[in-house]
Structure formats: structure tokens, C-alpha cells
PDB file of all heavy atoms in Angstrom:
ATOM      1  N   PHE A   1      23.547  27.005  38.517  1.00  0.00           N
ATOM      2  CA  PHE A   1      23.164  26.835  39.909  1.00  0.00           C
ATOM      3  C   PHE A   1      24.069  27.482  40.951  1.00  0.00           C
ATOM      4  O   PHE A   1      24.046  27.018  42.025  1.00  0.00           O
ATOM      5  CB  PHE A   1      22.988  25.266  40.181  1.00  0.00           C
ATOM      6  CG  PHE A   1      22.046  25.062  41.106  1.00  0.00           C
ATOM      7  CD1 PHE A   1      20.627  25.289  41.096  1.00  0.00           C
ATOM      8  CD2 PHE A   1      22.331  24.586  42.468  1.00  0.00           C
ATOM      9  CE1 PHE A   1      19.674  25.074  41.971  1.00  0.00           C
ATOM     10  CE2 PHE A   1      21.380  24.372  43.477  1.00  0.00           C
ATOM     11  CZ  PHE A   1      20.119  24.623  43.245  1.00  0.00           C
ATOM     12  N   LYS A   2      24.934  28.405  40.452  1.00  0.00           N
ATOM     13  CA  LYS A   2      25.890  28.975  41.380  1.00  0.00           C
ATOM     14  C   LYS A   2      25.039  29.867  42.401  1.00  0.00           C
ATOM     15  O   LYS A   2      25.424  30.064  43.493  1.00  0.00           O
ATOM     16  CB  LYS A   2      26.873  29.959  40.652  1.00  0.00           C
ATOM     17  CG  LYS A   2      27.925  30.574  41.513  1.00  0.00           C
ATOM     18  CD  LYS A   2      28.846  31.385  40.654  1.00  0.00           C
ATOM     19  CE  LYS A   2      29.871  32.084  41.631  1.00  0.00           C
ATOM     20  NZ  LYS A   2      31.078  32.894  40.831  1.00  0.00           N
ATOM     21  N   TYR A   3      23.947  30.564  41.784  1.00  0.00           N
ATOM     22  CA  TYR A   3      23.061  31.433  42.593  1.00  0.00           C
ATOM     23  C   TYR A   3      21.712  30.803  42.677  1.00  0.00           C
ATOM     24  O   TYR A   3      21.237  30.370  41.631  1.00  0.00           O
ATOM     25  CB  TYR A   3      23.000  32.730  42.034  1.00  0.00           C
ATOM     26  CG  TYR A   3      24.437  33.480  41.823  1.00  0.00           C
ATOM     27  CD1 TYR A   3      25.023  33.436  40.541  1.00  0.00           C
ATOM     28  CD2 TYR A   3      25.070  34.036  42.927  1.00  0.00           C
ATOM     29  CE1 TYR A   3      26.203  34.023  40.393  1.00  0.00           C
ATOM     30  CE2 TYR A   3      26.258  34.712  42.785  1.00  0.00           C
ATOM     31  CZ  TYR A   3      26.886  34.583  41.475  1.00  0.00           C
ATOM     32  OH  TYR A   3      28.101  35.352  41.313  1.00  0.00           O
ATOM     33  N   HIS A   4      21.225  30.666  43.864  1.00  0.00           N
ATOM     34  CA  HIS A   4      19.748  30.124  44.051  1.00  0.00           C
ATOM     35  C   HIS A   4      19.036  30.655  45.248  1.00  0.00           C
ATOM     36  O   HIS A   4      19.711  31.127  46.093  1.00  0.00           O
ATOM     37  CB  HIS A   4      19.955  28.568  44.027  1.00  0.00           C
ATOM     38  CG  HIS A   4      20.891  28.072  45.038  1.00  0.00           C
ATOM     39  ND1 HIS A   4      20.502  27.810  46.296  1.00  0.00           N
ATOM     40  CD2 HIS A   4      22.159  27.795  44.950  1.00  0.00           C
ATOM     41  CE1 HIS A   4      21.560  27.437  47.076  1.00  0.00           C
ATOM     42  NE2 HIS A   4      22.521  27.372  46.283  1.00  0.00           N
ATOM     43  N   GLU A   5      17.718  30.503  45.134  1.00  0.00           N
ATOM     44  CA  GLU A   5      16.931  31.075  46.187  1.00  0.00           C
ATOM     45  C   GLU A   5      15.712  30.270  46.368  1.00  0.00           C
ATOM     46  O   GLU A   5      15.083  29.854  45.422  1.00  0.00           O
ATOM     47  CB  GLU A   5      16.685  32.569  45.826  1.00  0.00           C
ATOM     48  CG  GLU A   5      15.745  33.247  46.977  1.00  0.00           C
ATOM     49  CD  GLU A   5      15.453  34.671  46.534  1.00  0.00           C
ATOM     50  OE1 GLU A   5      14.830  34.766  45.545  1.00  0.00           O
ATOM     51  OE2 GLU A   5      15.919  35.568  47.270  1.00  0.00           O
ATOM     52  N   LEU A   6      15.139  29.933  47.526  1.00  0.00           N
ATOM     53  CA  LEU A   6      13.947  29.362  47.894  1.00  0.00           C
ATOM     54  C   LEU A   6      13.119  30.156  48.737  1.00  0.00           C
ATOM     55  O   LEU A   6      13.648  30.717  49.717  1.00  0.00           O
ATOM     56  CB  LEU A   6      14.257  27.989  48.527  1.00  0.00           C
ATOM     57  CG  LEU A   6      13.054  27.240  48.939  1.00  0.00           C
ATOM     58  CD1 LEU A   6      12.184  26.771  47.757  1.00  0.00           C
ATOM     59  CD2 LEU A   6      13.357  25.976  49.885  1.00  0.00           C
ATOM     60  N   VAL A   7      11.749  30.245  48.241  1.00  0.00           N
ATOM     61  CA  VAL A   7      10.803  31.261  48.910  1.00  0.00           C
ATOM     62  C   VAL A   7       9.582  30.446  49.404  1.00  0.00           C
ATOM     63  O   VAL A   7       9.085  29.646  48.524  1.00  0.00           O
ATOM     64  CB  VAL A   7      10.473  32.398  48.153  1.00  0.00           C
ATOM     65  CG1 VAL A   7       9.508  33.275  48.927  1.00  0.00           C
ATOM     66  CG2 VAL A   7      11.745  33.257  47.751  1.00  0.00           C
ATOM     67  N   LEU A   8       9.156  30.463  50.532  1.00  0.00           N
ATOM     68  CA  LEU A   8       8.020  29.841  51.058  1.00  0.00           C
ATOM     69  C   LEU A   8       7.113  30.856  51.622  1.00  0.00           C
ATOM     70  O   LEU A   8       7.465  31.750  52.302  1.00  0.00           O
ATOM     71  CB  LEU A   8       8.279  28.765  52.047  1.00  0.00           C
ATOM     72  CG  LEU A   8       9.198  27.779  51.765  1.00  0.00           C
ATOM     73  CD1 LEU A   8       9.399  26.671  52.951  1.00  0.00           C
ATOM     74  CD2 LEU A   8       8.630  26.860  50.553  1.00  0.00           C
ATOM     75  N   ASP A   9       5.812  30.761  51.233  1.00  0.00           N
ATOM     76  CA  ASP A   9       4.887  31.917  51.821  1.00  0.00           C
ATOM     77  C   ASP A   9       3.585  31.189  52.247  1.00  0.00           C
ATOM     78  O   ASP A   9       3.030  30.175  51.594  1.00  0.00           O
ATOM     79  CB  ASP A   9       4.635  32.965  50.851  1.00  0.00           C
ATOM     80  CG  ASP A   9       3.810  32.657  49.634  1.00  0.00           C
ATOM     81  OD1 ASP A   9       2.604  32.829  49.739  1.00  0.00           O
ATOM     82  OD2 ASP A   9       4.441  32.338  48.583  1.00  0.00           O
ATOM     83  N   LEU A  10       2.969  31.813  53.315  1.00  0.00           N
ATOM     84  CA  LEU A  10       1.588  31.352  53.679  1.00  0.00           C
ATOM     85  C   LEU A  10       0.820  32.553  53.819  1.00  0.00           C
ATOM     86  O   LEU A  10       1.138  33.535  54.348  1.00  0.00           O
ATOM     87  CB  LEU A  10       1.853  30.613  55.040  1.00  0.00           C
ATOM     88  CG  LEU A  10       0.644  30.249  55.772  1.00  0.00           C
ATOM     89  CD1 LEU A  10      -0.082  29.116  55.151  1.00  0.00           C
ATOM     90  CD2 LEU A  10       0.926  29.840  57.285  1.00  0.00           C
ATOM     91  N   ALA A  11      -0.595  32.379  53.528  1.00  0.00           N
ATOM     92  CA  ALA A  11      -1.596  33.399  53.611  1.00  0.00           C
ATOM     93  C   ALA A  11      -2.759  32.799  54.276  1.00  0.00           C
ATOM     94  O   ALA A  11      -3.263  31.704  53.880  1.00  0.00           O
ATOM     95  CB  ALA A  11      -1.895  34.073  52.286  1.00  0.00           C
ATOM     96  N   ILE A  12      -3.387  33.550  55.168  1.00  0.00           N
ATOM     97  CA  ILE A  12      -4.743  33.138  55.792  1.00  0.00           C
ATOM     98  C   ILE A  12      -5.742  34.283  55.546  1.00  0.00           C
ATOM     99  O   ILE A  12      -5.377  35.505  55.737  1.00  0.00           O
ATOM    100  CB  ILE A  12      -4.523  32.945  57.319  1.00  0.00           C
ATOM    101  CG1 ILE A  12      -3.542  31.819  57.556  1.00  0.00           C
ATOM    102  CG2 ILE A  12      -5.823  32.612  58.036  1.00  0.00           C
ATOM    103  CD1 ILE A  12      -3.170  31.639  58.977  1.00  0.00           C
ATOM    104  N   ARG A  13      -6.911  33.841  55.095  1.00  0.00           N
ATOM    105  CA  ARG A  13      -7.993  34.877  54.921  1.00  0.00           C
ATOM    106  C   ARG A  13      -9.034  34.445  55.841  1.00  0.00           C
ATOM    107  O   ARG A  13      -9.930  33.638  55.520  1.00  0.00           O
ATOM    108  CB  ARG A  13      -8.423  34.734  53.399  1.00  0.00           C
ATOM    109  CG  ARG A  13      -7.427  35.070  52.437  1.00  0.00           C
ATOM    110  CD  ARG A  13      -7.785  34.828  51.021  1.00  0.00           C
ATOM    111  NE  ARG A  13      -6.616  34.725  50.183  1.00  0.00           N
ATOM    112  CZ  ARG A  13      -5.797  33.765  49.964  1.00  0.00           C
ATOM    113  NH1 ARG A  13      -6.063  32.609  50.499  1.00  0.00           N
ATOM    114  NH2 ARG A  13      -4.837  33.814  49.048  1.00  0.00           N
ATOM    115  N   PRO A  14      -9.176  35.297  56.968  1.00  0.00           N
ATOM    116  CA  PRO A  14     -10.242  34.915  57.903  1.00  0.00           C
ATOM    117  C   PRO A  14     -11.646  34.975  57.424  1.00  0.00           C
ATOM    118  O   PRO A  14     -12.392  34.124  58.109  1.00  0.00           O
ATOM    119  CB  PRO A  14      -9.956  36.079  59.087  1.00  0.00           C
ATOM    120  CG  PRO A  14      -8.511  36.468  58.891  1.00  0.00           C
ATOM    121  CD  PRO A  14      -8.322  36.318  57.365  1.00  0.00           C
ATOM    122  N   PHE A  15     -11.888  35.736  56.590  1.00  0.00           N
ATOM    123  CA  PHE A  15     -13.267  35.899  56.060  1.00  0.00           C
ATOM    124  C   PHE A  15     -13.520  35.091  54.880  1.00  0.00           C
ATOM    125  O   PHE A  15     -14.685  35.169  54.189  1.00  0.00           O
ATOM    126  CB  PHE A  15     -13.614  37.294  55.790  1.00  0.00           C
ATOM    127  CG  PHE A  15     -13.354  38.253  56.906  1.00  0.00           C
ATOM    128  CD1 PHE A  15     -12.463  39.363  56.940  1.00  0.00           C
ATOM    129  CD2 PHE A  15     -14.058  38.077  58.357  1.00  0.00           C
ATOM    130  CE1 PHE A  15     -12.179  40.076  57.974  1.00  0.00           C
ATOM    131  CE2 PHE A  15     -13.761  38.803  59.376  1.00  0.00           C
ATOM    132  CZ  PHE A  15     -12.840  39.897  59.233  1.00  0.00           C
ATOM    133  N   GLY A  16     -12.506  34.379  54.276  1.00  0.00           N
ATOM    134  CA  GLY A  16     -12.733  33.706  53.044  1.00  0.00           C
ATOM    135  C   GLY A  16     -12.689  34.560  51.776  1.00  0.00           C
ATOM    136  O   GLY A  16     -13.149  34.020  50.712  1.00  0.00           O
ATOM    137  N   THR A  17     -12.285  35.846  51.926  1.00  0.00           N
ATOM    138  CA  THR A  17     -12.300  36.808  50.763  1.00  0.00           C
ATOM    139  C   THR A  17     -10.944  37.571  50.838  1.00  0.00           C
ATOM    140  O   THR A  17     -10.285  37.565  51.864  1.00  0.00           O
ATOM    141  CB  THR A  17     -13.351  37.766  50.822  1.00  0.00           C
ATOM    142  OG1 THR A  17     -13.286  38.628  51.871  1.00  0.00           O
ATOM    143  CG2 THR A  17     -14.808  37.009  51.148  1.00  0.00           C
ATOM    144  N   PRO A  18     -10.696  38.131  49.710  1.00  0.00           N
ATOM    145  CA  PRO A  18      -9.371  39.086  49.809  1.00  0.00           C
ATOM    146  C   PRO A  18      -9.529  40.328  50.645  1.00  0.00           C
ATOM    147  O   PRO A  18      -8.720  41.132  50.850  1.00  0.00           O
ATOM    148  CB  PRO A  18      -9.334  39.562  48.194  1.00  0.00           C
ATOM    149  CG  PRO A  18     -10.004  38.568  47.458  1.00  0.00           C
ATOM    150  CD  PRO A  18     -11.245  38.177  48.404  1.00  0.00           C
ATOM    151  N   ALA A  19     -10.624  40.483  51.451  1.00  0.00           N
ATOM    152  CA  ALA A  19     -10.870  41.735  52.190  1.00  0.00           C
ATOM    153  C   ALA A  19      -9.818  41.832  53.256  1.00  0.00           C
ATOM    154  O   ALA A  19      -9.328  42.947  53.531  1.00  0.00           O
ATOM    155  CB  ALA A  19     -12.181  41.693  52.879  1.00  0.00           C
ATOM    156  N   LEU A  20      -9.379  40.753  53.842  1.00  0.00           N
ATOM    157  CA  LEU A  20      -8.228  40.685  54.653  1.00  0.00           C
ATOM    158  C   LEU A  20      -7.339  39.508  54.613  1.00  0.00           C
ATOM    159  O   LEU A  20      -7.907  38.398  54.541  1.00  0.00           O
ATOM    160  CB  LEU A  20      -8.749  40.746  56.248  1.00  0.00           C
ATOM    161  CG  LEU A  20      -7.787  40.570  57.339  1.00  0.00           C
ATOM    162  CD1 LEU A  20      -6.765  41.729  57.300  1.00  0.00           C
ATOM    163  CD2 LEU A  20      -8.427  40.499  58.659  1.00  0.00           C
ATOM    164  N   ALA A  21      -6.021  39.680  54.417  1.00  0.00           N
ATOM    165  CA  ALA A  21      -5.171  38.483  54.355  1.00  0.00           C
ATOM    166  C   ALA A  21      -3.965  38.805  55.288  1.00  0.00           C
ATOM    167  O   ALA A  21      -3.376  39.800  55.308  1.00  0.00           O
ATOM    168  CB  ALA A  21      -4.623  38.309  52.827  1.00  0.00           C
ATOM    169  N   LEU A  22      -3.686  37.657  56.121  1.00  0.00           N
ATOM    170  CA  LEU A  22      -2.618  37.714  57.036  1.00  0.00           C
ATOM    171  C   LEU A  22      -1.530  36.894  56.341  1.00  0.00           C
ATOM    172  O   LEU A  22      -1.905  35.643  55.853  1.00  0.00           O
ATOM    173  CB  LEU A  22      -2.922  37.111  58.427  1.00  0.00           C
ATOM    174  CG  LEU A  22      -4.168  37.757  59.058  1.00  0.00           C
ATOM    175  CD1 LEU A  22      -4.485  37.119  60.260  1.00  0.00           C
ATOM    176  CD2 LEU A  22      -3.998  39.266  59.239  1.00  0.00           C
ATOM    177  N   TYR A  23      -0.390  37.280  56.156  1.00  0.00           N
ATOM    178  CA  TYR A  23       0.623  36.608  55.425  1.00  0.00           C
ATOM    179  C   TYR A  23       1.971  36.567  56.143  1.00  0.00           C
ATOM    180  O   TYR A  23       2.340  37.262  56.875  1.00  0.00           O
ATOM    181  CB  TYR A  23       0.838  37.101  54.044  1.00  0.00           C
ATOM    182  CG  TYR A  23       1.345  38.491  54.092  1.00  0.00           C
ATOM    183  CD1 TYR A  23       2.659  38.868  54.035  1.00  0.00           C
ATOM    184  CD2 TYR A  23       0.392  39.603  53.900  1.00  0.00           C
ATOM    185  CE1 TYR A  23       3.118  40.115  54.030  1.00  0.00           C
ATOM    186  CE2 TYR A  23       0.896  40.937  53.970  1.00  0.00           C
ATOM    187  CZ  TYR A  23       2.217  41.121  54.034  1.00  0.00           C
ATOM    188  OH  TYR A  23       2.721  42.388  53.937  1.00  0.00           O
ATOM    189  N   GLY A  24       2.815  35.592  55.710  1.00  0.00           N
ATOM    190  CA  GLY A  24       4.174  35.637  56.081  1.00  0.00           C
ATOM    191  C   GLY A  24       4.951  34.828  55.055  1.00  0.00           C
ATOM    192  O   GLY A  24       4.525  34.029  54.310  1.00  0.00           O
ATOM    193  N   ASP A  25       6.354  35.099  54.909  1.00  0.00           N
ATOM    194  CA  ASP A  25       7.213  34.409  53.962  1.00  0.00           C
ATOM    195  C   ASP A  25       8.489  34.161  54.636  1.00  0.00           C
ATOM    196  O   ASP A  25       8.966  34.800  55.447  1.00  0.00           O
ATOM    197  CB  ASP A  25       7.292  35.155  52.747  1.00  0.00           C
ATOM    198  CG  ASP A  25       7.577  36.770  52.849  1.00  0.00           C
ATOM    199  OD1 ASP A  25       8.420  36.976  53.714  1.00  0.00           O
ATOM    200  OD2 ASP A  25       6.875  37.526  52.214  1.00  0.00           O
ATOM    201  N   TYR A  26       9.365  33.233  53.987  1.00  0.00           N
ATOM    202  CA  TYR A  26      10.559  32.826  54.482  1.00  0.00           C
ATOM    203  C   TYR A  26      11.605  32.504  53.349  1.00  0.00           C
ATOM    204  O   TYR A  26      11.071  31.946  52.336  1.00  0.00           O
ATOM    205  CB  TYR A  26      10.443  31.651  55.402  1.00  0.00           C
ATOM    206  CG  TYR A  26      11.718  31.296  56.178  1.00  0.00           C
ATOM    207  CD1 TYR A  26      11.955  32.071  57.468  1.00  0.00           C
ATOM    208  CD2 TYR A  26      12.564  30.429  55.764  1.00  0.00           C
ATOM    209  CE1 TYR A  26      12.960  31.858  58.241  1.00  0.00           C
ATOM    210  CE2 TYR A  26      13.826  30.178  56.609  1.00  0.00           C
ATOM    211  CZ  TYR A  26      13.887  30.897  57.781  1.00  0.00           C
ATOM    212  OH  TYR A  26      15.078  30.615  58.594  1.00  0.00           O
ATOM    213  N   VAL A  27      12.745  33.055  53.292  1.00  0.00           N
ATOM    214  CA  VAL A  27      13.694  32.948  52.222  1.00  0.00           C
ATOM    215  C   VAL A  27      14.940  32.336  52.648  1.00  0.00           C
ATOM    216  O   VAL A  27      15.526  32.755  53.678  1.00  0.00           O
ATOM    217  CB  VAL A  27      13.926  34.370  51.616  1.00  0.00           C
ATOM    218  CG1 VAL A  27      14.862  34.129  50.418  1.00  0.00           C
ATOM    219  CG2 VAL A  27      12.613  35.051  51.151  1.00  0.00           C
TER     220      VAL A  27
END
């Protein structure tokens, strides 16, 4: 546990399909 990392990500699909995905992540 000397080295560690936490990643959170969020994705929004306005059409409910993979055609368009808006995303963001934080580390």
C-alpha cells in the first residue's frame, strides 16, 4: 500500500445509446 490510486468516472448518454457519451473522470 505504499503506492495507491483512486479513480472516479461519470458518463451521461443523452440518447440512451452509445451513439453519444459525455464523460468526466477524477484521480
Side-chain angles (χ1 to χ4, degrees):
F1 208 70
K2 180 179 180 180
Y3 304 98
H4 51 86
E5 180 182 62
L6 175 65
V7 181
L8 302 175
D9 72 85
L10 171 69
I12 299 174
R13 302 172 192 84
F15 308 119
T17 71
L20 174 63
L22 309 176
Y23 63 85
D25 48 43
Y26 196 81
V27 181

